[in-house]
Amino acid sequence: MAKKIEGFNFEQRHGKARVRVARVWRSKEGRHFMVEWNVSISLLSDSIIAYVDDDNSDIVATDTIKNTVYAKAKECKEQLSVEEFAILLAKHFTSFYRQVTSAIVRIVEKPWERVSVDGQLHEHGFKLGSERHTTEVTVQKSGALQMTSGIEGLALLKTTKSGFEGFIRDKYTALPDTQERMLATEVTSTWRYSYESVFNLPQKPLYFTERYLAVKKVLMDTFFGPPKEGVYSASVQSTLYQMAKAVLGRFHDISLIHLKMPNIHFLPVNLSSKDKDIIVKFEDDVYLPTDEPHGSIEASLSRFWSRM
């Protein structure tokens, strides 16, 4: 909330960004579990004297904020989700420091995946995957909560069952109509949970990790369709809407979902020369992959009672 200072409105926050921490848990049976998190924390407070009076007595040093991340990771004796760790940190800062009114914690989880050797899951071996699990929580001193989870870098592609036709044509239009093309995108998505307090969260261990995996599966299943016949996409816009609607239809504790889906083009290759009329004739087989420029499509879908 803005403070009035010397005839101005003044808002401030401070914190620590890009704190990298890894945590390993070892089961009694000898299996290891690990996560790697990139943590950013912002503290909102009533502390303005550091700005206007050169008085740092109300400031939580950003180095202290960094050290707290490692201390709290150490205290977590049982495996927990990235969302649970974010809430744990935010609750600490809002309860431990009198002047801190709210804490915003954003974490990106690096996608380490357990490897399989000779068809058997390895006890302590991991490889780096692709898409990243994200979360951002805001916790107020009262316990009020705003919480989102998300996914970054989910690369999806299908080689058929996609088209684009009937769009506006004018003197600048060169793109032909088509009912047969490749469809590729890299999904970035965030979804907001309906929980409004840290006191009414699900108590099941790793609940939000399971929910993340389930949402990812619904997004992918809707994009691809059934294994044999697939599903036709009339546009990236249409597919995005179906994906968003499927998530809200499946998970009733999600109130809003935002999807960003660039249209990453695979261009048909046709080659000819003066000496030889046709070098390569495109027959839905040879493409030029491109990543820029690309189409930019994003949208949000929410329940009527949700705040956009």
Side-chain angles (χ1 to χ4, degrees), residues 88-160:
L88 183 153
L89 288 172
K91 286 171 62 178
H92 166 79
F93 287 111
T94 53
S95 62
F96 194 74
Y97 297 103
R98 166 194 51 79
Q99 66 274 33
V100 175
T101 57
S102 300
I104 303 170
V105 181
R106 173 174 168 79
I107 306 180
V108 179
E109 181 170 309
K110 203 165 187 176
W112 291 107
E113 302 170 349
R114 190 177 302 278
V115 299
S116 179
V117 177
D118 295 331
Q120 185 176 355
L121 290 175
H122 204 282
E123 293 293 304
H124 55 264
F126 299 84
K127 68 178 180 67
L128 190 60
S130 54
E131 63 271 6
R132 299 169 297 281
H133 182 177
T134 67
T135 191
E136 182 173 303
V137 304
T138 301
V139 174
Q140 299 178 21
K141 193 175 285 292
S142 64
L145 171 70
Q146 292 181 354
M147 176 179 176
T148 64
S149 293
I151 189 167
E152 296 177 350
L154 179 61
L156 304 177
L157 178 150
K158 58 183 183 180
T159 55
T160 189

Side-chain angles (χ1 to χ4, degrees), residues 247-260:
V247 169
L248 292 188
R250 174 78 178 275
F251 306 108
H252 299 297
D253 59 352
I254 294 176
S255 59
L256 176 148
I257 183 168
H258 181 85
L259 283 163
K260 183 177 182 180

